[in-house]
Amino acid sequence: MLCECGQYEATIHEVIITKDKKKVERHLCEHCARERGVSVDPYIPISQLISSASYIMGQVITDEDASPDDDFVSESTSDTIKPRPTMKTKPIHQSCVGCGQTFSSFKKSGLLGCPACYQIFEDRIGPMIERAHEGGCNHVGKVPRRALSESKDANDTNRIEALLGDIRQREERLEALRGRLAKSIHDEEYEQAAMLRDELTRLTSLASSQIESAPNRSTPTSDSAPA
Amino acid sequence: MQAADDTPSGSNPMRGPAFTKKAEWLRGLGESNDVVMSSRVRLARNISGFPFTPQASRLDRTQILEACKHRILNMTTSPSTQFMWIDLHEIGREDRNLLVERQLMSRQHAKGKLITGKGGLDEPRSVAVLTPDERVSIMINEEDHLRLQTIRSGLALGACLEEANELDDQIEAGLDYAYHPRFGYLTACPTNVGTGLRLSVMLHLPALKLTGELDKMRRAATDMGLAVRGFYGEGSESSGEFYQVSNQTTLGKSDDMLLREMEHEIVPKIVGYERHARKNLLSNRREMLEDQIWRALGTLRHARLMKVDEAMELLSLVRLGVLTGIVDDVTLEQVHGLLLSSQPIHLQRTLDEVLTQQQRRAARAQLIRSQLGCGTSGGKTGGTAGGTSG
């Protein structure tokens, strides 16, 4: 694909969501991208990722010292959404019950404080994590072997759910995998499809064993730790 | 069961020959070894019930370290191997850097500094190394509580992953990991969450550099969601056109999916580009290629002062010369040996002397001359570092 200048191959592809939620795509060569202030750096620092992801969620997080009564004010004059906007919203004071870390300190360091942070900040970090992992939002693959085996032997539903999720979560994951499997088959990516099918089979068997062990349970009790 | 050998009091286990000989990953063997120097698999794991390392107190870190030590030293390995436990807060800078040069741990682990700027040399942290071939190392209290690494020469990600998973299961048999049904294995940085798996290969891409296609390859790799780093991983510059390429996605794809992508799609493609570039150079620009390679060998055989980066650059070209048949009196083994023994700490350990930077440059040049033969032949004789003065 050629750049808008019509001279060089477009290597930078930018997608902008306008205020009326329309998607605008731009395809530029490096030269034009630099001229128009579009980043050509492929290595996005976690802080920028966090900033962008917060924006995508429509929930821009400000520093904790901002006034709690500030309205959501956009200083942007353009009708398109710019990266790193200067906007204010209600501050978020919540800190992790496990380690005391706040979301603001995570934004600065890019590191979470303890396993419980994932639970406490799940709603806010979920979209960022999804973006950092090319859309991956659910773990696929290995589960701690000994912990799962012990939990099953003891018929400990809480521990099983801490590892595999509750029935609703498992169903959601299975559904997502089925969707990916259908797409792989459609795209004729058969090796990928075979692996997804194996993963589906594995998850289904894990899930059915849990259902057998806890037929009436549906309350989510997932914890960050298996034990 | 093979427990770790206790260090004899008053002696330094890293002073012995085991820590100056060639490492497993530099043997130069294995699939696609003309381009793939080594394969590495890293698993990031954390123990439940503790804050992640950057947030952990000194007491937490000490407890984590003790729990890991007890578990790792009681793991089953093959009868001929055993884990050596090294407390980094109790050894000197030279020993720590030796482990970095041997790719057994990261630079930040040597310094004890975390990405947040916290920490320091006396932070409780360790590394367990599987001896004698050093194909497994486990960092304790790095950014995550446990970072398990398996490394082999050539393209061998499958074998590395299999061994890493076996050891991971053995560790988990005695420790509870922090795990979440949605996010998988929990890590301090969300970019590692999920499988906690990093598959990486160290590639030698001198022909792509000479044909000017390296930047194109780097961009293509980045577009495929890969990270491209230098010889010593995160934060290091490339030296001698050696690059570490690794996956960045760890959530939403299983170990097997990530392995298949890297080992059967991405790496063969890059290997194919490099081989094609080598073939093109031989067919269309042979004179230029020969000139570059013989100049490099000439400098290595006659220089009196040699910086480490210059040595890497020149050895890289000679490696290309050996692989393309242009150089026939030097072996891959010699080149690989020098890639490691030219490094500052290895150089001093080989000579058993503490040297200033200027002395190191002279000693490095002398070592290389003695290994590669100072002349037009005799490259296979391989002298010792203690040869004639330069």
Side-chain angles (χ1 to χ4, degrees):
Chain A
M1 179 184 289
L2 276 181
C3 170
E4 289 170 8
C5 67
Q7 290 183 45
Y8 304 104
E9 188 73 13
T11 53
I12 311 294
H13 307 277
E14 188 188 44
V15 180
I16 299 171
I17 312 293
T18 62
K19 273 187 175 172
D20 51 359
K21 298 192 175 166
K22 281 187 182 161
K23 199 165 86 172
V24 178
E25 291 185 19
R26 287 205 295 180
H27 306 280
L28 304 167
C29 64
E30 277 191 27
H31 179 72
C32 291
R34 279 202 180 90
E35 270 192 350
R36 294 173 199 198
V38 178
S39 171
V40 296
D41 184 5
Y43 306 102
I44 305 171
I46 185 84
S47 54
Q48 191 179 326
L49 191 71
I50 290 162
S51 160
S52 311
S54 305
Y55 194 92
I56 286 164
M57 294 157 69
Q59 184 192 10
V60 177
I61 313 301
T62 61
D63 290 339
E64 287 184 347
D65 56 2
S67 161
D69 298 324
D70 282 348
D71 290 323
F72 187 94
V73 178
S74 170
E75 292 178 2
S76 172
T77 51
S78 161
D79 62 346
T80 57
I81 291 174
K82 305 272 186 200
R84 293 173 175 271
T86 313
M87 289 186 288
K88 290 180 177 179
T89 186
K90 289 188 177 180
I92 286 160
H93 292 284
Q94 192 181 14
S95 56
C96 173
V97 289
C99 64
Q101 169 143 315
T102 62
F103 192 71
S104 290
S105 59
F106 163 63
K107 273 183 71 187
K108 282 180 195 143
S109 69
L111 300 174
L112 290 162
C114 73
C117 287
Y118 279 91
Q119 198 80 15
I120 304 288
F121 303 124
E122 182 172 357
D123 289 346
R124 273 171 279 168
I125 61 172
M128 293 172 207
I129 290 177
E130 193 172 332
R131 187 167 168 205
H133 295 277
E134 297 177 326
C137 51
N138 283 306
H139 173 56
V140 178
K142 196 170 176 180
V143 178
R145 187 166 292 177
R146 187 260 320 157
L148 184 61
S149 153
E150 274 182 10
S151 309
K152 282 184 170 178
D153 290 347
N155 216 4
D156 185 337
T157 315
N158 284 348
R159 285 185 70 190
I160 294 172
E161 287 190 352
L163 293 164
L164 302 177
D166 61 32
I167 292 168
R168 179 184 55 80
Q169 290 167 329
R170 282 195 324 269
E171 264 312 315
E172 279 174 8
R173 240 182 306 160
L174 285 171
E175 199 47 47
L177 276 175
R178 283 186 204 109
R180 286 173 63 184
L181 175 61
K183 188 176 181 308
S184 296
I185 293 168
H186 178 265
D187 295 345
E188 298 183 1
E189 290 175 350
Y190 297 118
E191 271 190 69
Q192 175 92 355
M195 287 187 170
L196 287 166
R197 187 202 54 213
D198 292 348
E199 188 59 28
L200 260 170
T201 311
R202 196 182 67 82
L203 257 185
T204 311
S205 84
L206 286 174
S208 59
S209 65
Q210 186 187 357
I211 291 163
E212 281 162 25
S213 66
N216 299 319
R217 190 171 180 94
S218 61
T219 314
T221 56
S222 58
D223 196 351
S224 55
Chain B
M1 187 177 73
Q2 190 81 36
D5 194 12
D6 283 331
T7 304
S9 59
S11 72
N12 181 349
M14 292 168 61
R15 279 273 169 195
F19 277 90
T20 48
K21 72 175 179 57
K22 201 189 298 172
E24 146 67 28
W25 58 273
L26 269 174
R27 281 194 306 139
L29 303 174
E31 193 186 325
S32 302
N33 66 339
D34 54 335
V35 181
V36 185
M37 297 280 290
S38 62
S39 301
R40 174 169 24 191
V41 160
R42 185 269 277 150
L43 292 175
R45 299 287 187 254
N46 287 281
I47 303 169
S48 81
F50 287 98
F52 297 133
T53 313
Q55 192 80 0
S57 66
R58 195 177 173 84
L59 179 64
D60 287 331
R61 291 186 200 197
T62 305
Q63 287 178 345
I64 291 161
L65 196 142
E66 286 306 320
C68 292
K69 184 175 184 177
H70 180 260
R71 185 65 219 131
I72 290 167
L73 297 188
N74 283 296
M75 290 198 314
T76 310
T77 62
S78 70
S80 58
T81 58
Q82 59 188 1
F83 274 103
M84 177 188 283
W85 186 269
I86 303 159
D87 287 320
L88 299 172
H89 46 286
E90 288 178 0
I91 63 171
R93 187 181 68 90
E94 205 181 275
D95 285 335
R96 292 194 302 270
N97 288 344
L98 185 76
L99 294 163
V100 176
E101 285 182 5
R102 296 184 79 74
Q103 308 244 345
L104 295 169
M105 67 178 197
S106 63
R107 284 175 173 179
Q108 57 265 38
H109 201 44
K111 292 176 188 161
K113 282 266 182 200
L114 294 160
I115 199 167
T116 53
K118 279 187 187 173
L121 293 176
D122 65 341
E123 288 297 332
R125 66 200 193 286
S126 305
V127 63
V129 178
L130 189 70
T131 58
D133 63 7
E134 302 171 20
R135 68 175 195 275
V136 181
S137 63
I138 308 171
M139 288 186 279
I140 318 296
N141 281 339
E142 214 244 25
E143 186 179 287
D144 295 298
H145 298 158
L146 287 144
R147 286 202 164 184
L148 191 160
Q149 161 187 298
T150 54
I151 188 165
R152 292 177 188 225
S153 61
L155 181 55
L157 287 170
C160 286
L161 180 60
E162 192 179 334
E163 184 164 34
N165 271 330
E166 279 171 20
L167 291 165
D168 181 44
D169 289 342
Q170 281 202 54
I171 296 172
E172 196 262 331
L175 292 172
D176 285 332
Y177 283 154
Y179 185 86
H180 186 282
R182 176 181 172 193
F183 295 123
Y185 291 92
L186 300 179
T187 52
C189 183
T191 53
N192 295 316
V193 82
T195 55
L197 172 66
R198 193 78 72 214
L199 299 159
S200 60
V201 282
M202 193 196 288
L203 303 174
H204 183 218
L205 307 173
L208 286 174
K209 171 76 173 177
L210 288 171
T211 56
E213 295 167 292
L214 198 58
D215 283 343
K216 203 167 131 190
M217 187 289 291
R218 287 190 71 152
R219 272 201 299 273
T222 309
D223 286 347
M224 286 190 276
L226 304 170
V228 183
R229 300 190 172 99
F231 194 74
Y232 281 105
E234 199 154 344
S236 68
E237 294 296 316
S238 71
S239 226
E241 316 324 325
F242 295 103
Y243 294 91
Q244 283 190 32
V245 175
S246 55
N247 66 300
Q248 297 205 86
T249 301
T250 53
L251 185 69
K253 290 176 183 173
S254 68
D255 299 8
D256 288 341
M257 288 177 191
L258 291 168
L259 175 68
R260 186 186 63 84
E261 274 182 13
M262 278 296 276
E263 193 156 74
H264 300 293
E265 289 176 17
I266 293 162
V267 177
K269 208 174 274 181
I270 303 175
V271 168
Y273 292 150
E274 170 65 19
R275 284 179 180 160
H276 186 254
R278 289 180 189 180
K279 210 171 158 185
N280 264 351
L281 286 172
L282 282 170
S283 310
N284 306 323
R285 298 167 69 191
R286 189 177 179 102
E287 202 170 39
M288 181 280 294
L289 180 66
E290 286 185 349
D291 181 63
Q292 295 260 334
I293 289 166
W294 285 114
R295 275 171 187 272
L297 190 54
T299 306
L300 289 167
R301 279 178 169 163
H302 296 285
R304 260 46 188 171
L305 293 172
M306 182 73 65
K307 291 181 184 175
V308 66
D309 283 350
E310 186 186 6
M312 296 279 283
E313 294 287 343
L314 299 174
L315 286 167
S316 162
L317 281 166
V318 172
R319 186 175 191 271
L320 179 63
V322 174
L323 289 163
T324 49
I326 291 171
V327 174
D328 61 2
D329 62 347
V330 176
T331 63
L332 267 190
E333 198 183 355
Q334 283 176 305
V335 176
H336 289 187
L338 283 170
L339 282 171
L340 193 59
S341 56
S342 296
Q343 301 298 323
I345 308 300
H346 276 79
L347 188 66
Q348 296 182 100
R349 283 291 157 89
T350 307
L351 302 175
D352 200 20
E353 274 182 77
V354 178
L355 305 169
T356 63
Q357 190 179 63
Q358 186 71 6
Q359 286 171 329
R360 281 203 301 272
R361 288 176 185 173
R364 184 176 296 116
Q366 186 183 326
L367 172 74
I368 293 170
R369 287 201 310 277
S370 69
Q371 291 284 311
L372 296 182
C374 185
T376 52
S377 63
K380 289 176 186 171
T381 53
T384 63
T388 54
S389 171

